[in-house]
């Protein structure tokens, strides 16, 4: 038997419970013990208790090996509560948001294999905003410490995975101070690394080039909002936002979630693509495997990726976002069946 892991689960709002449930079903196949702790966060808790998540729950998450999280609804405008996603990232110091996008045969519009590493705690999501009588202000805080840690993370990530190039995406020609600092730190840090190609692209050009010539990108490191927007673009080009997961990593713990939001337009209908949550789970197993030296978890992560790849490429069981008619449960069963063959276990 493999190791023992303490994992938090936030099922989230909207399609969250449907897809997180599908992902957790894969844990039966993994040779390790998972002590799962359900944590309630989001709108329903806010309406009942006046807070979307408690300090005790944040402390609990800090003490866990990792948390698997569904999407959480955030209301627009002044009356809505502040984003619980942003709160979790800041409180747990989850500074690197890692989002791998790799195309699947048949379903992707373009062939791409890009990892977007987004600074996750500062920038325009710093939450420093105020209203004056007839105007409104948001402070785009970019710090040296915050930039350096995510840039180092991105460079180490590229080196350890033998990725060929890291591109820093910014708009330092206009935002000379904030993006200027991020860029300066990138150039300072890259000088310390050998064996990684690097370049820089303005964010508007990056959006264009991702469509016109996606293979020019390999690993991207970028401030918060740019990474958020470019991620949805990459997900759309690679076939569906329902396909991809993200790892939010800090020095002490990490939170894994789908790239997308709560998908209110399809919630409760049993048709959401659970690949995003399954990919998030796979990223979590890889993270735990590397951190704890557990080869079995790394193998299980690869098997889940391969099972997703086979089912999606085969094209027989696909959810509606990919042009199919399978339900969330049918798709999840197909992936679990292939993963169990690969892992040599019986479901
Ligand atoms: P969204 O990502 O929820 O939906 C955008 C489009 O993608 C919709 O057409 C939706 O049906 C589709 N989609 C998303 N996930 C899918 C899946 N698994 N399978 C098939 N189709 C899928 O973006 P939206 O509508 O802007 O946001 C809804 C709510 O989610 C908002 O309250 C927002 O604040 C929140 N949100 C939460 C995030 C998180 O918790 N990390 C991230 C992004 C948004």
């Amino acid at each position: 038997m493999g190791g023992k892991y303490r994992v938090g689960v936030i099922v989230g709002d909207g399609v969250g419970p449907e897809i997180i449930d599908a992902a957790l079903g894969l844990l039966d196949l993994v040779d390790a013990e998972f002590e799962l702790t359900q944590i309630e966060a989001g709108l329903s808790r806010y309406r009942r208790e006046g807070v979307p998540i408690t300090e005790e729950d944040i402390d609990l998450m800090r003490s866990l090996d990792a948390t698997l999280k569904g999407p959480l609804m955030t209301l627009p405008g002044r009356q809505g509560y502040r984003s619980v996603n942003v709160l979790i990232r800041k409180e747990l110091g989850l500074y690197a948001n890692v989002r791998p996008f790799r195309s699947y045969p048949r379903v992707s519009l373009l062939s791409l294999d890009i990892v977007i590493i987004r600074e996750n705690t500062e920038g325009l999501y710093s939450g420093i905003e105020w209203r004056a009588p007839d105007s409104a202000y948001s402070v785009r805080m970019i710090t040296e410490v915050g930039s350096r840690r995510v840039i180092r993370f991105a460079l180490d990530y590229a080196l350890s995975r033998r990725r060929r190039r890291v591109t820093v995406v910014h708009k330092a020609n206009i935002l000379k101070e904030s993006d200027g600092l991020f860029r300066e730190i990138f150039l300072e840090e890259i000088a310390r690394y050998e064996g990684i190609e690097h370049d820089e692209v303005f964010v508007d050009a990056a959006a264009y080039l991702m469509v016109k010539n996606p293979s020019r990108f390999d690993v991207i490191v970028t401030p918060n909002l740019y990474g958020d927007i470019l991620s949805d673009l990459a997900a759309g080009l690679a076939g569906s936002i329902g396909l991809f997961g993200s790892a939010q990593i800090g020095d002490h713990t990490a939170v894994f979630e789908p790239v997308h939001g709560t998908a209110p337009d399809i919630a409760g209908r049993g048709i959401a693509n659970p690949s995003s949550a399954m990919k998030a789970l796979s990223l979590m197993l890889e993270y735990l495997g590397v951190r704890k030296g557990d080869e079995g978890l790394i193998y299980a992560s690869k098997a889940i990726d391969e099972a997703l790849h086979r089912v999606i490429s085969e094209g027989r069981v696909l959810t509606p976002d990919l042009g199919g008619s399978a339900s969330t449960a049918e798709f999840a069963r197909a992936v679990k069946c292939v993963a169990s063959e690969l892992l040599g276990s019986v479901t």
Side-chain angles (χ1 to χ4, degrees):
M1 187 73 177
K4 184 172 174 187
Y5 301 95
R6 293 175 64 229
V7 170
V9 177
I10 298 177
V11 294
D13 302 315
V15 294
E18 304 163 44
I19 60 173
I20 293 295
D21 187 50
L24 288 175
L26 294 169
L27 285 183
D28 304 343
L29 308 176
V30 183
D31 179 25
E33 195 183 327
F34 293 94
E35 185 189 307
L36 301 180
T37 305
Q38 298 286 338
I39 299 165
E40 194 192 346
L43 199 57
S44 50
R45 188 158 198 183
Y46 177 72
R47 287 191 173 136
R48 209 179 55 239
E49 298 178 27
V51 286
I53 189 168
T54 60
E55 274 179 37
E56 290 75 35
D57 284 339
I58 294 281
D59 288 342
L60 171 66
M61 288 174 77
R62 205 175 277 119
S63 74
L64 295 170
D65 292 313
T67 297
L68 181 68
K69 172 188 161 296
L72 293 171
M73 185 188 285
T74 304
L75 300 172
R78 296 176 96 182
Q79 71 282 28
Y81 67 87
R82 283 211 169 278
S83 166
V84 61
N85 295 313
V86 172
L87 180 100
I88 289 171
R89 290 165 190 168
K90 282 179 112 167
E91 290 292 322
L92 299 183
L94 307 174
Y95 56 85
N97 190 328
V98 185
R99 297 176 161 190
F101 297 98
R102 179 179 279 174
S103 297
Y104 289 94
R106 288 167 182 264
V107 300
S108 298
L109 303 179
L110 292 176
S111 168
L112 53 87
D113 178 7
I114 299 174
V115 182
I116 297 178
I117 299 181
R118 153 187 172 195
E119 199 295 315
N120 210 30
T121 56
E122 337 190 297
L124 265 176
Y125 292 11
S126 300
I128 310 168
E129 293 194 305
W130 66 94
R131 276 272 173 103
D134 52 6
S135 52
Y137 302 86
S138 299
V139 173
R140 187 166 182 274
M141 184 179 75
I142 293 206
T143 68
E144 190 174 323
V145 170
S147 304
R148 199 178 298 282
R149 65 187 180 178
V150 73
I151 287 166
R152 280 189 184 163
F153 180 97
L155 296 172
D156 290 337
Y157 179 97
L159 258 190
S160 65
R161 281 144 213 268
R162 299 175 200 277
R163 308 287 304 207
R164 77 196 137 84
R165 180 193 289 160
V166 179
T167 301
V168 60
V169 170
H170 58 71
K171 192 73 182 170
N173 52 335
I174 305 294
L175 300 166
K176 289 176 184 295
E177 296 303 333
S178 52
D179 275 9
L181 177 63
F182 195 83
R183 172 180 180 269
E184 271 166 39
I185 295 195
F186 177 83
L187 295 176
E188 236 175 79
E189 287 297 324
I190 191 77
R192 297 179 214 262
Y193 284 75
E194 277 179 22
I196 311 178
E197 278 177 44
H198 72 279
D199 63 355
E200 52 185 309
V201 178
F202 295 137
V203 64
D204 43 352
Y208 175 73
L209 289 169
M210 201 177 278
V211 177
K212 290 298 274 185
N213 182 17
S215 64
R216 75 155 321 288
F217 293 111
D218 190 5
V219 175
I220 288 174
V221 63
T222 188
N224 207 333
L225 179 64
Y226 302 154
D228 198 6
I229 295 171
L230 289 177
S231 294
D232 277 28
L233 175 61
L237 294 173
S240 165
I241 201 161
L243 289 172
F244 301 101
S246 80
Q248 306 186 89
I249 298 179
D251 288 332
H252 306 294
T253 191
V255 175
F256 299 83
E257 65 177 5
V259 162
H260 57 76
T262 59
D265 50 339
I266 57 167
R269 292 168 53 197
I271 56 166
N273 189 338
S275 303
S276 54
M278 291 174 150
K279 182 65 196 172
L281 183 93
S282 153
L283 289 168
M284 183 179 88
L285 295 177
E286 185 200 19
Y287 163 85
L288 292 174
V290 170
R291 211 170 153 94
K292 310 278 181 177
D294 187 334
E295 288 295 328
L297 292 196
I298 298 173
Y299 186 69
S301 160
K302 287 188 177 141
I304 291 169
D305 287 356
E306 177 60 23
L308 281 167
H309 191 85
R310 286 194 196 174
V311 172
I312 293 166
S313 313
E314 210 178 74
R316 279 195 297 120
V317 185
L318 295 178
T319 43
D321 56 311
L322 297 176
S325 58
S327 67
T328 306
E330 285 162 348
F331 179 88
R333 247 191 321 274
V335 174
K336 187 169 181 179
C337 184
V338 177
S340 94
E341 279 165 26
L342 293 168
L343 288 163
S345 42
V346 181
T347 52

